[in-house]
Amino acid sequence: MTDLTKLTIAQLRDGFQAKDFTSVEATQAYVDAIEAHNAAFNAYVKTTPELALEQAAKSDEKIAASNGGKLEGVPIGVKDLYSTEGVHTQACSHILDGFQPRYESTVTKNMFDDGMVMLGKLNMDEFAMGSSNETSYYGAVTNPWKREGERTSNGPALVPGGSSGGSAAAVAAHLCAGATASDTGGSIRQPAAFTGTVGIKPTYGRCSRFGMVAFASSLDQAGPISRDVRDAAIMLKSMASSDPRDTTCADLPVPDYEAAIGKSVKGMKIGIPSEYRLDGMPAEIEKLWEQGKTMLQDAGAEIVDISLPHTKYALPAYYIVAPAEASSNLARYDGVKYGLRVDGKNIEEMYENTRAAGFGEEVKRRILIGTYVLSAGFYDAYYTRAQKVRTLIKQDFEQCFDAGVDCILTPATPSAAFAIGDKEMAADPVKMYLNDVFTVTVNMAGLPGISVPAGLSDEGLPLGLQLIGRPFEEETLFQAGSVIEQAAGHFTPEKWW
Amino acid sequence: MTGLIDTRTPNPKNFFSGEDHDWELVIGLEVHAQVTSNAKLFSGASTEFGSEQNANVSLVDAAMPGMLPVINEECVRQAVKTGLGLNAKINNRSVFDRKNYFYPDLPQGYQISQLYHPIVGEGVITIQVGPDKQGQFESVEIGVERLHLEQDAGKSMHDQHPTMSFVDLNRSGVALMEIVSKPDIRSIDEAKAYVTKLRSILRYLGTCDGNMDQGSMRADVNVSVREPGGEFGTRCEIKNVNSIRFMGQAIEYEARRQIDILEEGGTVDQETRLFDPVKGETRSMRSKEEAHDYRYFPDPDLLPLEFDDAYVDGIRAELPELPDAKRNRFIGEGLSEYDASILVSDKSIADFYEKVADGRDAKVSANWVINDLLGALNKAGKSLEESPVSADQLGSIIDLIKDGTINGKIAKDVFEIVLEKGGDPAEIVEKEGMAQVTDTGAIEAAVDEIIAANPEKVQQAIEKPNMIGWFVGQVMKATGGKANPQAVNELLRKKING
């Protein structure tokens, strides 16, 4: 019998339809795989096998009655950032110890309504703050990929990227058929690039933020990480919706993204922004980018050079806006209402003790930065200027799109996955922040961006290319993304676990 | 905020006396008015007063992770309506900001407010100060700086447990309008008149119930003193004053305190103070240095609040008649300025009066409402809502006078009976035999008897026609006050003067 965990969502769907196997069988295969291998990756922080099998049995009934939904019976992992009713939801922070919401996030509700089987909650950087999944209270996640020649359980462990490191690792290691993730500055696309998976951050407002633990409200956006472009399209179709409970959520119909896959890119104009060619960028990244151009050109697309002049200001401005919003969003974790409380002599001391114990170093750093930039006397110099930069970045993109560019091709990350506990990154947080240099611009402008695996590094690690599209034109990204996927092929880690 | 502009000419009648010179008060008020709405500003939770603790709390109010605010359109309408009632500029685009601070009754760790772009801009409130001894009112225009929408906080209770404080979130997230005056107020009477007028306007509009004792309306009072007409002094802000009387006491105390400091050569520190109604004094809460840094920034969970002119026009079309307009109308209908001002001061009084005056004489109706009813209620310590005499009952008493069934004196007795025991005035008159004696035969008999018994008085009355009043009194006495005074008069004149 085939290993059901090897199948894509589309293949599972077709197999369920054809009665080749059942959702219970597929779910059981994943439950077994998680039990056997999660320890090697630390991808799940909470597994819900009984719940999963119960849901799978229901899905099988629906499939038998031919009234299954878009994700009927498909075993999925959910990032710990999504509120799931009655199930562990802590955004991998100590401060939310024991928190189980009495409500369901809109995204997971949409997916449950479509028949999702939830396998459990996935590891992530604490409050989605990080690019390596090392800031999680539940410990680092190990990337299923290791460098060539090091692919043994003793070989140096690499990070899966972050903040959706658990999601990316679980998908790449076949511990779920697909995973929900979220992206504030690159938290879907960078881990996808590091693990040879596909990740799309849709347009800001495409998915509801209701029930997602907030990091930076004006930048946070839900999206999937999956094995291939088609699966990403299937998942996003289910995740996206309008929502009266999130006023920043767009009231637009959700198109059939899957229909975009396989459509020709003939005549499509692909922009290549010169500002993304960084000093000291590894040659292999440069090479990958060139290959990407060729792949799209060979499929009939037109490659045009473009300029996004304010790109260099994006990362510094991001590290003002995101921490500012975070410092306010995380004020609610005060020990008064839920989660961790560390008592003190008085209320101030209780706040201090709770927040000192409950938040990790990176979260504290960003709260401090955010508090500082919003302080009286600094607000205009930092926050107001960062917002102006944001407007300029947005205008850069608008001008290119107005000039007829359909989407923009860039590298997804400036490097391949690095080692867990990398000393340079640990010593200098800015080095870690530079991981998001190609992805933050997209969040700052609210645009959709997809990361598609396009090749391997010299050390045998996956590398991704990013496509950036017009607002609410995710279909273009699926269309062009699948062309890259067709040309580059699929990337599966060599099993060492 | 823009620089302060002095719009007033110093008036000696407002001055506080000092050692070397007089002092002038400068007062600005920030009134927090709870928006009348069924649901909170950003959640669907109920706003009902007096519910069980923490009964009216949604997931949003409790700041559960991932919860998002969604604006309640009804609160927006109410704010726009209030802005129109204050003759203010309505801003078609406004923005919600977060005001960040930690407190257990503020679950989000921030209050959603509007700092940079409020929903309502500058407006004006015309207040009536007075009446003075001549019954005259002084009209003064007080500028409104702005009105913005914001969330209320919950309530901390420190007296429920030996070592812990409890929190009630029923008020958490309830919509407030903060209405900020310009520093145009120059006396305690003006401050009182301002709050009274503002409350009256809000009640007319139905946008706030104005019940200060329930916390639906409270004021932060900014007070400073200066040499009359001089530079503005350093102000102190007295927080959360919850009655008009306390506000007067607080200003009085605070003005004296500041004058004392200045006259001793000291300087007033800008600070936030609290009024203690028991001791009748203000005390320091926190200095300028201790002031919170609220780190305001636009709330990224909410889009800017935008509406078009048609939306505003639609609300404008529904505006009720406001106190100023009503007052002018009443004066036009024959009432004195004094009567009109008293009647319009409270919408319920105006409504009551209008019901009484419907189809009846305005002046007579006003007299009964003001002198008799309000007088009696005042004595009994009752509000108009608790009045045992309805507008219909009072109206029918007036009707009984008009149609000659009873005279004015008996009417007062009927009123007393209705006040005490209730009942239909016409039936009371009937049952108690209080109707005027219009039967001329009966009156004539009484007149004849009195004339016969007092021949010398008759003689005097012939010489001095005013003396007839004595006879009227005797006849009324003899008939138990029920005789129709007009009929008595006529008969007496006929009989005495032939």
Side-chain angles (χ1 to χ4, degrees), chain A residues 83 96 99 102-103 204 208-214 216-218 244-248 324-325 327-334 336-338 341 347 351 355 370-372 374-376 379 383 387, chain B residues 57-71 97-110 116 163-165 167 169 292-303:
Chain A
S83 298
L96 274 167
F99 185 69
R102 288 186 296 150
Y103 47 90
Y204 183 79
S208 167
R209 292 184 297 113
F210 179 86
M212 290 172 71
V213 176
S217 311
S218 74
R245 290 177 299 182
D246 174 4
T247 47
T248 64
E325 293 182 12
S327 71
S328 177
N329 281 338
L330 270 57
R332 64 186 57 198
Y333 308 112
D334 57 5
V336 173
K337 306 166 291 280
Y338 44 73
R341 174 188 293 187
I347 186 72
Y351 284 152
R355 290 167 68 85
T371 304
Y372 179 80
L374 289 177
S375 299
Y379 180 79
Y383 190 80
Q387 290 294 9
Chain B
V57 185
S58 77
L59 296 166
V60 175
D61 306 322
M64 288 289 165
M67 290 301 104
L68 299 171
V70 176
I71 185 83
D97 301 298
R98 291 187 185 174
K99 177 182 181 179
N100 296 282
Y101 65 97
F102 285 94
Y103 206 67
D105 60 24
L106 187 75
Q108 296 170 129
Y110 54 85
Y116 298 107
T163 58
M164 290 199 262
S165 292
V167 175
L169 294 180
H292 293 296
D293 182 350
Y294 290 119
R295 290 169 285 124
Y296 279 99
F297 76 108
D299 191 328
D301 285 332
L302 291 160
L303 301 172

Side-chain angles (χ1 to χ4, degrees), chain B residues 9-196:
Chain B
T9 309
N11 185 339
K13 88 172 159 86
N14 295 332
F15 294 168
F16 267 59
S17 59
E19 278 176 9
D20 304 325
H21 60 76
D22 286 335
W23 295 89
E24 187 184 21
L25 249 65
V26 176
I27 302 164
L29 291 170
E30 296 168 21
V31 173
H32 297 259
Q34 181 182 329
V35 174
T36 299
S37 67
N38 294 326
K40 295 181 180 181
L41 183 53
F42 296 112
S43 86
S46 164
T47 56
E48 200 182 326
F49 179 78
S51 299
E52 196 186 325
Q53 284 160 8
N54 291 310
N56 302 337
V57 185
S58 77
L59 296 166
V60 175
D61 306 322
M64 288 289 165
M67 290 301 104
L68 299 171
V70 176
I71 185 83
N72 176 351
E73 205 253 289
E74 179 59 19
C75 297
V76 174
R77 274 189 85 78
Q78 294 286 58
V80 170
K81 201 172 188 182
T82 306
L84 293 171
L86 302 179
N87 312 298
K89 180 177 182 295
I90 307 299
N91 294 323
N92 292 37
R93 182 180 190 277
S94 63
V95 179
F96 288 101
D97 301 298
R98 291 187 185 174
K99 177 182 181 179
N100 296 282
Y101 65 97
F102 285 94
Y103 206 67
D105 60 24
L106 187 75
Q108 296 170 129
Y110 54 85
Q111 175 196 33
I112 305 178
S113 182
Q114 296 188 304
L115 176 67
Y116 298 107
H117 303 283
I119 186 167
V120 176
E122 292 188 334
V124 66
I125 298 178
T126 306
I127 62 171
Q128 276 73 42
V129 190
D132 60 15
K133 286 177 193 129
Q134 285 78 46
Q136 298 296 303
F137 288 84
E138 183 196 5
S139 277
V140 181
E141 289 198 345
I142 304 298
V144 171
E145 173 76 28
R146 56 186 284 158
L147 175 157
H148 67 254
L149 280 168
E150 64 182 27
Q151 295 176 302
D152 202 352
K155 194 170 116 192
S156 292
M157 291 168 287
H158 305 294
D159 54 0
Q160 309 278 310
H161 187 277
T163 58
M164 290 199 262
S165 292
F166 287 2
V167 175
D168 177 6
L169 294 180
N170 279 354
R171 290 193 71 92
S172 166
V174 163
L176 301 178
M177 296 179 282
E178 180 171 329
I179 302 160
V180 183
S181 85
K182 290 183 181 286
D184 289 353
I185 301 166
R186 295 288 177 271
S187 71
I188 293 168
D189 283 345
E190 288 183 6
K192 288 178 168 177
Y194 174 86
V195 175
T196 306

Side-chain angles (χ1 to χ4, degrees), chain B residues 399-456:
Chain B
D399 291 343
L400 290 170
I401 304 171
K402 177 95 190 292
D403 67 17
T405 308
I406 54 175
N407 59 41
K409 192 172 163 298
I410 293 293
K412 305 279 178 192
D413 298 339
V414 176
F415 176 79
E416 286 299 327
I417 293 169
V418 176
L419 192 68
E420 294 289 315
K421 303 179 191 152
D424 174 40
E427 281 172 20
I428 291 167
V429 167
E430 169 97 49
K431 224 169 81 193
E432 304 288 326
M434 297 169 89
Q436 290 192 115
V437 180
T438 39
D439 170 2
T440 28
I443 298 174
E444 200 167 352
V447 168
D448 287 345
E449 203 175 307
I450 287 161
I451 288 176
N454 300 284
E456 68 281 18

